[in-house]
Amino acid sequence: MLSLSASYYSPSRLFSPFSSRNPLLFFTRSHRLALSRTRYRLLTVAASERENGIFTSPEIAKSFDFSAEERIYNWWESQGYFRPSFDRGSDPFVISMPPPNVTGSLHMGHAMFVTLEDIMIRYNRMKGRPTLWLPGTDHAGIATQLVVERMLASEGIKRTEMSRDEFTQRVWQWKEKYGGTITNQIKRLGASCDWSREHFTLDEQLSQAVAEAFVRLHEKGLIYQGSYMVNWSPTLQTAVSDLEVEYSEESGYLYHIKYRVAGSNDFLTVATTRPETLFGDVALAVHPKDERYSKYIGKMAIVPQTFGRHVLIIADKHVDREFGTGVLKISPGHDHNDYLLARKLGLPILNVMNKDGTLNDVAGLYSGLDRFEARKKLWAELEETGLAVKKEPHTLRVPRSQRGGEVIEPLVSKQWFVSMEPLAEKALEAVEKGRLTIVPERFEKIYNHWLSNIKDWCISRQLWWGHRIPVWYIVGKDNEEDYIVARNANEALEKALKKYGKDVEIYQDPDVLDTWFSSALWPFSTLGWPDLSEDDFKRFYPTTMLETGHDILFFWVARMVMMGIEFTGTVPFSYVYLHGLIRDSQGRKMSKTLGNVIDPLDTIKEFGTDALRFTLALGTAGQDLNLSTERLMSNKAFTNKLWNAGKFILQNLPNENDTSAWEKILSCKFDSEGSVYNLPLPECWVVSKLHLLIESASASYDKFYFGEVGREIYDFFWADFADWYIEASKGRLYHSQAGGNSVASVAQAVLLYTFENILKVLHPFMPFVTEELWQALPNRKHALIVSPWPKTQLPRDTSSIKKFENLQALVKAIRNARAEYSVEPAKRISASVVASNEVIEYISEEREVLALLSRLDLQNLHFTDSSPGNADQSVHLVAGEGLEAYLPLADMVDISAEVERLSKRLCKMQKEYDGLIAKLNSPQFIEKAPENVVRGVREKATEAEEKITLTKNRLALLNSNVLVSN
């Protein structure tokens, strides 16, 4: 492995111009010396390391270069860091990546799951656990077939003009050419997957697992074939899952149609949204307690436009008396509820539709018409015959295919199904018994409800791309009675020969399995199942975590749980972490129609991968996240702040050849109470706060509270380390005495220790900039990606934290006073700090820090336990209980000029106030003006009065100072 020291630089980079435009820095002679020492250190690095060119130091570059991310990623992968290592532990942490569709292109949903899963993997890798993040892609049956069919159409070729083998060959060619796009894009997000174990759901081994699963389920009687109501896609010519049907609110009509009651002149009026299905009517239904229709129950009605076909009028309590006319047409071949009712009552099932969405011969003269064309023609003819009552606007809940977008048709079709109830019972028990934990917990109720009311799963699809159903039929035999279920064609033929004799001929079922069937096996099929002796299966199954969007809890998660328990005897993962959807800044779902889609790759180019990841990770489990440019810009600024902090630290460390200086730094330890408690106050404070952060962040990582982790690190780095400690350290670094165990060495050690631990705890979120900065630090023994996680339970001095907070309060009060009086930033002012002897003792020890941070004149900074003699000519500040400060007014302003300015201002304010009072004293204004206007004037008058009082008080103070000076 390469040595990871401070400098993978090319020689050309070493003499790049250095920019001093850094808000963290101000240059002094000692600072320039530190910079020259650093350059000397760089020039002494071994040539082989300089020429590596993978990493760039903050001393060379003004800001982190996003183009370095791909180089860093490739280096990580080349070093084998993404593969599981058992060197430091034996309890693996395993995630099976939700396999994106092979047709896919990166979107924010992918960015979310990659970010969260990579955070988990990187954290556990640094904790010493062998980590396996197993990647792969899904063959996406419907989506991929659609893409290739469209490609062929552009060449003037129809799928139906090709043989099945020819078509699938073209799909494989397409996959080889374009199928890796999503994988490369996922890598761009920093996904530290073990790509050597990458899988595709149509891989030979996974395909064998699918056949094995089908055979085993069939042998147990859990897979069966039957004609049932399914969701049919006329365009795709296949059944689709209930979960792949999306319902949309659309404008339509409610058609009112007369049905004559046989043997009388009476009519029953039916209200329907789909009049073309009346050819499939087998009954009319009314509520048994609906007095309007009770006399017709048991009689026959004549279906319009069917040449007098009669249907029975029945009573059923499920009829909604309030909908339409209260008379329901029963078309069991074309409505899910009608289908269930017909099966319950033993009514016939009548199908009027072909699989391409046209009407069949049952529709008589309408045969061959498209379903929507038939609707128009039928209504026109009903109007001509007087059987049309009215057509009124109605909001429809239209089922559409998630893939193709066309209207789904409920249709009775012969399909293969899985009996789900026996499988669901065990999956429910897994959560109930605590063997599976769902995060956030509220999704347990949704999971339990769906599994408790589960329907059988239609697993066959009328496609050519996918796992062919492992069923073979016998030529000349009844398909429903005579078929062979086998793992492959050879086994099927062997079974057929044994059962039917040597002259038997067989052919395979043309359908393929639902894509989600193979995905349900993903956590164990990718590890070698059904071969239980496979090393990966023995070492890594069951997996640890399943992370995905809450919208596929049923599509995928619940099915994996059921299949995992069924085939392996154990839950396939211990935790399910469900993230929310990514929405735009206004909380709207991203869509091309709205034009609010944010491309992750474009975002990375502008803001960097780390900023995007950090933004996405700050959400809460299960909650949707609003993504805005402002958030991305803020987190890009965070990246720059990290970079500048690294620049400051590197430029203030001794060169590598200064053995004596480095011995002092390395002798500073922070793992015992004595080593921490004996530090000077600012150092003790920042190290104690760091140790609290490490403990809190580690606990939050373990609980999957990633948003909390990110916010804690952000606040500590920016508010505590960068804004306070780095600034405080400048006094140590630029003005401390040389020799001995100097304060400068302690400050250098604390800066280095704190910063390297910030990089560690932040690395899972922002891997690229943290690794780049880590590599620039001296004496790196490991890459950051595999560095040990910081220890917890490290010492922290809570009393020092309180003491430094008092010092901070004092600094803030002085800074606020300076701002209020517009004191020039560079001007040093006098101050008297008043407190108890105990407080004065520790505050006075840090007089240099106080003076540096507050811009005080160190020679005129006094500490006392009582008010100073010039208190009445000073600005009095109360920083906290028992801690005050007095700032001589003469130091802060030109008193005469300020008196003149405030007098003019007071005069102007008084005139404005008098005008407001005059308005309020006017009865005409009070009576005629709207109440809100009067209230607004009163509020302005009150505010103006307060400002006048404050200005008078300040003038009085200033005038008293003028008198004293005279």
Side-chain angles (χ1 to χ4, degrees), residues 761-808:
V761 295
L762 186 58
H763 177 74
F765 284 78
M766 306 178 81
F768 292 108
V769 68
T770 53
E771 184 73 78
E772 186 95 300
L773 288 165
W774 178 268
Q775 296 292 343
L777 299 176
N779 305 314
R780 301 300 95 185
K781 296 179 181 178
H782 307 280
L784 179 56
I785 188 175
V786 290
S787 290
W789 189 256
K791 294 178 181 178
T792 55
Q793 301 296 322
L794 290 167
R796 74 292 307 262
D797 184 356
T798 53
S799 66
S800 289
I801 293 174
K802 179 61 179 174
K803 289 175 183 178
F804 193 81
E805 286 174 352
N806 282 342
L807 179 63
Q808 286 177 303

Side-chain angles (χ1 to χ4, degrees), residues 157-294:
I157 303 171
K158 293 183 178 179
R159 173 175 63 88
T160 52
E161 296 172 351
M162 309 172 71
S163 71
R164 183 175 191 138
D165 288 343
E166 288 172 337
F167 177 77
T168 53
Q169 184 62 35
R170 289 297 298 268
V171 182
W172 276 110
Q173 290 171 2
W174 179 92
K175 190 264 181 186
E176 292 304 313
K177 187 173 182 180
Y178 300 106
T181 299
I182 188 69
T183 295
N184 292 327
Q185 291 173 336
I186 284 173
K187 289 182 177 183
R188 191 66 187 84
L189 285 163
S192 55
C193 306
D194 183 355
W195 296 105
S196 68
R197 286 176 164 89
E198 183 180 7
H199 284 288
F200 178 53
T201 46
L202 286 178
D203 286 349
E204 183 179 354
Q205 190 267 315
L206 271 66
S207 297
Q208 291 173 358
V210 168
E212 182 68 29
F214 188 98
V215 170
R216 291 192 189 185
L217 289 172
H218 185 269
E219 287 174 347
K220 290 187 69 171
L222 294 176
I223 282 184
Y224 64 92
Q225 187 181 39
S227 293
Y228 294 94
M229 175 70 70
V230 297
N231 301 300
W232 186 262
S233 169
T235 302
L236 299 172
Q237 295 275 300
T238 181
V240 295
S241 164
D242 289 347
L243 301 174
E244 293 171 307
V245 178
E246 295 181 339
Y247 290 87
S248 59
E249 300 288 323
E250 300 179 20
S251 297
Y253 294 97
L254 194 59
Y255 299 85
H256 292 251
I257 303 169
K258 289 181 179 180
Y259 283 61
R260 182 185 292 278
V261 178
S264 75
N265 291 322
D266 293 345
F267 289 89
L268 293 183
T269 301
V270 171
T272 179
T273 59
R274 300 164 66 214
E276 70 278 6
T277 62
L278 64 78
F279 300 106
D281 290 353
V282 298
L284 296 186
V286 298
H287 195 281
K289 294 183 179 180
D290 193 333
E291 295 179 357
R292 295 174 295 175
Y293 307 118
S294 58

Side-chain angles (χ1 to χ4, degrees), residues 23 54 106 127 181 298 354 412 433 443 470 544 695 814 850 946:
I54 295 167
L106 197 69
K127 291 280 283 187
T181 299
N354 298 313
V412 175
K433 300 293 186 183
F443 283 102
T544 313
E695 187 159 327
I814 296 171
L850 177 61
E946 291 173 354

Side-chain angles (χ1 to χ4, degrees), residues 546-585:
L546 190 284
E547 191 285 330
T548 190
H550 65 68
D551 52 332
I552 58 171
L553 178 59
F554 312 130
F555 273 104
W556 191 42
V557 180
R559 287 171 175 169
M560 279 190 290
V561 175
M562 289 185 277
M563 294 299 189
I565 295 172
E566 172 65 22
F567 294 121
T568 71
T570 185
V571 181
F573 27 76
S574 301
Y575 299 93
V576 173
Y577 183 103
L578 300 170
H579 66 250
L581 303 177
I582 309 294
R583 299 184 178 274
D584 70 7
S585 58

Side-chain angles (χ1 to χ4, degrees), residues 633-646:
M633 288 177 64
S634 173
N635 291 323
K636 180 182 179 182
F638 181 46
T639 307
N640 290 335
K641 190 83 169 180
L642 280 166
W643 194 256
N644 285 333

Side-chain angles (χ1 to χ4, degrees), residues 670 672-679 684 687-688 691 795-797:
F670 308 101
S672 66
E673 288 188 357
S675 64
V676 174
Y677 291 7
N678 293 328
L679 288 170
C684 185
V687 170
S688 295
H691 290 171
R796 74 292 307 262
D797 184 356

Side-chain angles (χ1 to χ4, degrees), residues 731-750:
R732 320 304 209 189
L733 298 171
Y734 304 156
H735 306 296
S736 61
Q737 297 178 352
N741 187 19
S742 68
V743 175
S745 295
V746 174
Q748 289 169 327
V750 168

Side-chain angles (χ1 to χ4, degrees), residues 347-404:
L347 297 172
I349 309 294
L350 198 56
N351 174 31
V352 303
M353 201 168 293
N354 298 313
K355 290 187 174 180
D356 62 357
T358 60
L359 300 194
N360 61 24
D361 292 343
V362 175
L365 297 175
Y366 296 86
S367 176
L369 288 178
D370 174 78
R371 51 187 166 158
F372 300 118
E373 291 177 11
R375 182 180 300 176
K376 293 177 183 178
K377 182 180 179 182
L378 175 61
W379 183 249
E381 294 188 358
L382 288 170
E383 287 180 315
E384 289 178 10
T385 57
L387 295 178
V389 178
K390 62 178 178 179
K391 180 176 76 170
E392 59 183 1
H394 182 70
T395 300
L396 307 176
R397 189 165 178 262
V398 180
R400 290 190 176 274
S401 166
Q402 189 184 62
R403 298 297 179 193

